[in-house]
Amino acid sequence: MQRSEIRSELWRPWPVAWEVSQGLVHYPDAVARMDAEVAAIAKGDAPERVWLLEHPPLYTAGTSAVQSDLVDPERFPVYPSGRGGQFTYHGPGQRVAYVMLDLKRRGSDVRAFVAGLEDWIIGALAEFGLRGERREDRVGVWVRHETQNGEDESKIAAIGIRVRHWVSLHGISLNVAPELSHFTGIVPCGVTEHGVTSLQALGLAATLEDADRALAKGFARVFGPITRS
């Protein structure tokens, strides 16, 4: 796929810092770090950054979260989040990517940015031979798969962002091999008609490192080169 076939206005030639954290990062620590990075990027004191990590099991509530969608409030810690969207789950085996890009330099178009995030994930999934799809009425990336009752579709990646001073916060999460039963404590993103899935559940023995390589390749195709930090 050529850049011009994706969203050329988002692609820029300067490198984005690409950071991968080992171990589990607590959510409040991640938010504090992300806030500081975004403030520095907005001032021109730091490069754009993508930060890949894992969280311990937790739920986050986006700005559109409906309290009744928190089915089991005692199961894991619940954190309010400034990102858009509703309730979502983060936990081991899921790759979270916090995306801190200067959108003033990338078209100043939030809708195009969200579509670019979808393109990124779809490109990464293609590295595993999967066809990721977007839905006009649902945020995130979806995959079709066979079930005992025929074909169904499930969410494999979530998207939730916020923009501050035209710099993006939060980002995406890709289900590599999380414990999918942990999603039952919420109504994920408010969607009741379809479930969630993962690379592992689809029969792919992918590691987080495998996912990181696919994500790095897909990101560079949509947004431009990276430099590992």
Side-chain angles (χ1 to χ4, degrees):
M1 185 181 299
Q2 301 298 315
R3 285 201 309 272
S4 60
E5 294 174 345
I6 307 176
R7 297 181 190 277
S8 59
E9 70 273 21
L10 296 173
W11 194 94
R12 290 296 180 269
W14 53 79
V16 174
W18 186 269
E19 178 182 351
V20 181
S21 286
Q22 304 300 320
L24 301 180
V25 179
H26 289 287
Y27 188 76
D29 296 340
V31 171
R33 162 82 189 281
M34 183 166 43
D35 285 344
E37 291 283 354
V38 165
I41 294 168
K43 292 178 181 178
D45 294 337
E48 297 175 301
R49 181 173 298 273
V50 175
W51 183 20
L52 280 67
L53 51 79
E54 281 180 288
H55 285 307
L58 59 93
Y59 299 128
T60 65
T63 55
S64 301
V66 178
Q67 194 61 29
S68 59
D69 286 347
L70 182 58
V71 178
D72 188 353
E74 304 301 322
R75 190 169 189 179
F76 298 124
V78 181
Y79 295 99
S81 173
R83 61 165 175 79
Q86 303 185 45
F87 281 103
T88 193
Y89 166 77
H90 294 313
Q94 181 191 72
R95 178 54 85 207
V96 174
Y98 289 131
V99 183
M100 294 161 270
L101 298 184
D102 185 349
L103 301 187
K104 294 193 305 294
R105 305 168 78 184
R106 295 177 182 271
S108 301
D109 187 331
V110 175
R111 288 181 180 272
F113 174 59
V114 172
L117 295 176
E118 293 172 337
D119 288 336
W120 171 26
I121 298 166
I122 289 169
L125 292 174
E127 296 295 312
F128 297 101
L130 293 178
R131 180 181 177 182
E133 301 178 354
R134 55 169 53 87
R135 294 289 178 266
E136 293 301 322
D137 59 337
R138 292 177 251 137
V139 177
V141 174
W142 303 75
V143 291
R144 299 176 184 272
H145 57 95
E146 294 297 324
T147 70
Q148 292 180 342
N149 299 318
E151 187 180 73
D152 197 0
E153 61 182 55
S154 298
K155 179 181 266 189
I156 195 167
I159 297 173
I161 65 162
R162 181 179 181 181
V163 177
R164 183 186 300 154
H165 304 302
W166 281 108
V167 179
S168 62
L169 299 89
H170 302 280
I172 70 166
S173 57
L174 173 63
N175 296 332
V176 181
E179 177 52 66
L180 293 180
S181 67
H182 289 177
F183 284 89
T184 61
I186 57 172
V187 177
C189 301
V191 177
T192 57
E193 297 85 358
H194 304 282
V196 295
T197 191
S198 67
L199 297 178
Q200 182 184 67
L202 295 172
L204 295 168
T207 65
L208 286 174
E209 290 74 20
D210 295 330
D212 292 348
R213 284 189 287 272
L215 287 168
K217 187 172 181 179
F219 181 90
R221 196 161 46 225
V222 177
F223 294 104
I226 64 172
T227 180
R228 299 180 187 275
S229 62

